[in-house]
C-alpha cells in the first residue's frame, strides 16, 4: 500500500514540475523583454555606416539590327537565345538582282574592251597610211583618226561607268549578309508587320562576356556617389561574394518612380552605372548591392565589429553583451584599431567568431532572457 502511495506522490510531483516548466518557457513572461543574439562571424565587417544601393547586372554593350521592310529576306540564320560569335551571319537580304546586274555589266565591259582593241587597231592602221598619203588624203585620214579616238574615249568612259556601277552593286551584295559585330546572345523581337513575317523584326545581340551594373540613387542619396568612385558590388544571395568596380556615370536626368501605398506622387531617382574590374561569373538580370568601397573588405582579417555593439569603448574595460545559455552576460573585451570612417572596431580578445552577442539595448541587463538568431 505504501508503494502505491509513493508512486502517486512521485507522479504528482513530476507532473507539477512539467507544468511549471511549460509555464516558464511558453507562457508570457510579464514585463521581461526578450533579446536576440547574433553570431559574431555574421557581424564581422558589417557596418551600418555604409550606404547600400540596389543594382542589376546588364550587358556592357548590345547591338541592334533592324530588318529593312523594303528589302526581301532570304534567310535568318539565328534563333532567339542562340550564342553567336563576332562575325557570324545573323540574316541576309535577297541580292539576286544586284548579282544579275553585275554579271550583265561584266559582259558589257568585255564587249567594250573588244571594241577598244578593234579601235586601237584601226587607229594604228590609219596612222601608217598617213605617212604615205598626199596632202588631200592626210586631211581625210586625220579626221578619221580623230573620230576613232573620240569613239575610243567613249568606250573607255563606258567601261569606267560600268566598273563604278559594279562596285556599288558589289557593296550591296556584301551588305546583304548582316553580321554581328560582337559576341553574345541573340534576342529577337517581332514588330508585327503585315506581309513579310520577318519585316520590321529587330535582332539584338547582347554582349555575354562584359557586364556592367545599373543602379539608382534617390534624392537624399544623390551625393553619396560620384563618377570614378570605387565601389563594391555584392551578391544579394551570398553577401560574402563581391566584386570590385568603379562608377562610370551618374545621370542627372531623373527617372520617375511611384511612391506606392496608393500615393500617386513621383519620387525622383537618378540612374548610375558601374564597370567591373574583372569579368565575373554573373548572370544578366541578377540583382546585386552596390556600396562605396571605404575599405570595409580590408577589415575582414580578425574580428571587426560595428562600434555600437561595444559598451564603454573609451573606458578601461570595454565589454559586449554575450549570449550564455539563454541569458545575457557582460563580457570584457580588448580592442585594437578603430576605423572611424567605417565606424568599426577591431576586437583582439574576449570573443570568438563562433560566439553570439546582443546589441546593447537600454533595457538589457545581466541575466536577460535571450534567444539565438540564426
Amino acid at each position: 500500500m505504501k508503494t502505491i502511495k509513493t508512486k502517486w506522490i512521485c507522479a504528482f510531483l513530476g507532473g507539477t514540475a512539467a507544468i511549471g516548466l511549460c509555464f516558464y518557457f511558453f507562457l508570457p513572461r510579464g514585463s521581461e523583454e526578450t533579446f536576440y543574439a547574433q553570431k559574431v562571424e555574421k557581424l564581422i565587417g558589417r557596418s551600418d555606416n555604409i550606404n547600400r544601393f540596389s543594382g542589376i547586372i546588364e550587358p556592357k554593350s548590345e547591338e541592334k539590327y533592324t530588318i529593312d521592310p523594303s528589302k526581301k529576306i532570304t534567310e535568318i540564320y539565328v534563333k532567339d537565345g542562340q550564342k553567336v560569335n563576332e562575325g557570324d551571319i545573323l540574316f541576309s537580304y535577297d541580292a539576286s538582282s544586284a548579282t544579275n546586274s553585275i554579271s550583265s555589266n561584266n559582259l558589257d565591259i568585255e564587249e567594250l574592251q573588244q571594241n577598244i582593241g578593234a579601235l586601237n587597231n584601226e587607229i594604228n592602221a590609219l596612222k601608217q597610211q598617213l605617212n604615205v598619203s598626199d596632202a588631200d588624203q592626210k586631211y581625210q585620214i586625220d579626221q578619221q583618226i580623230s573620230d576613232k579616238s573620240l569613239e575610243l574615249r567613249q568606250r573607255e568612259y563606258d567601261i569606267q561607268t560600268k566598273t563604278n556601277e559594279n562596285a556599288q552593286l558589289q557593296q550591296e551584295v556584301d551588305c546583304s549578309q548582316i553580321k554581328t559585330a560582337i559576341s553574345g546572345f541573340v534576342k529577337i523581337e517581332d514588330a508585327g508587320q503585315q506581309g513579310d513575317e520577318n519585316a520590321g523584326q529587330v535582332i539584338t545581340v547582347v554582349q555575354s562576356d562584359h557586364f556592367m551594373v545599373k543602379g539608382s540613387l534617390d534624392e537624399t542619396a544623390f551625393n553619396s556617389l560620384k563618377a570614378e568612385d570605387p565601389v563594391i558590388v555584392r551578391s544579394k544571395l551570398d553577401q560574402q561574394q563581391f566584386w570590385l568596380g568603379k562608377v562610370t556615370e551618374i545621370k542627372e536626368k531623373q527617372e520617375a518612380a511611384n511612391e506606392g501605398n496608393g500615393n500617386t506622387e513621383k519620387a525622383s531617382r537618378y540612374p548610375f552605372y558601374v564597370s567591373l574590374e574583372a569579368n565575373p561569373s554573373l548572370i544578366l538580370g541578377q540583382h546585386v548591392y552596390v556600396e562605396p568601397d571605404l575599405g570595409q573588405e580590408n577589415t575582414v582579417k580578425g574580428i571587426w565589429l560595428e562600434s555600437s555593439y561595444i559598451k564603454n569603448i573609451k573606458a578601461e574595460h570595454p565589454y559586449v553583451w554575450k549570449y550564455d545559455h539563454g541569458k545575457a552576460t557582460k563580457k570584457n573585451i580588448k580592442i585594437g584599431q578603430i576605423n572611424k570612417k567605417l565606424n568599426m572596431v577591431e576586437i583582439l580578445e574576449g570573443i570568438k567568431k563562433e560566439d553570439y552577442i546582443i546589441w546593447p539595448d537600454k533595457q538589457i541587463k545581466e541575466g536577460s532572457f535571450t534567444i539565438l538568431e540564426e
Side-chain angles (χ1 to χ4, degrees), residues 351-367:
I351 55 174
K352 301 176 182 178
K353 290 182 179 181
E354 56 268 25
D355 290 335
Y356 286 79
I357 60 173
I358 308 126
W359 191 80
D361 188 273
K362 290 181 180 179
Q363 304 298 322
I364 197 170
K365 60 183 183 294
E366 192 78 34

Side-chain angles (χ1 to χ4, degrees), residues 10-51:
C10 291
F12 175 77
L13 291 175
T16 303
I19 293 171
L21 288 172
C22 289
F23 270 86
Y24 181 81
F25 284 105
F26 297 107
L27 290 185
R29 304 181 57 85
S31 60
E32 185 177 352
E33 189 171 350
T34 299
F35 297 92
Y36 295 89
Q38 294 177 288
K39 196 171 186 178
V40 170
E41 187 176 25
K42 291 186 177 181
L43 296 173
I44 291 175
R46 199 172 81 186
S47 173
D48 294 332
N49 205 39
I50 300 173
N51 287 322

Side-chain angles (χ1 to χ4, degrees), residues 37-46 240 297-305 320-323 331 333 345-358 372-374:
Q38 294 177 288
K39 196 171 186 178
V40 170
E41 187 176 25
K42 291 186 177 181
L43 296 173
I44 291 175
R46 199 172 81 186
Q240 298 302 313
E297 286 304 325
N298 298 330
T299 65
V300 293
K301 293 180 180 178
I303 297 177
W304 287 77
L305 296 179
V320 295
W321 286 103
K322 183 183 174 185
Y323 172 87
K331 179 65 178 177
I333 58 172
V345 178
E346 184 184 20
I347 312 298
L348 300 177
E349 294 178 6
I351 55 174
K352 301 176 182 178
K353 290 182 179 181
E354 56 268 25
D355 290 335
Y356 286 79
I357 60 173
I358 308 126
L372 294 181
E373 185 180 284
E374 296 294 345

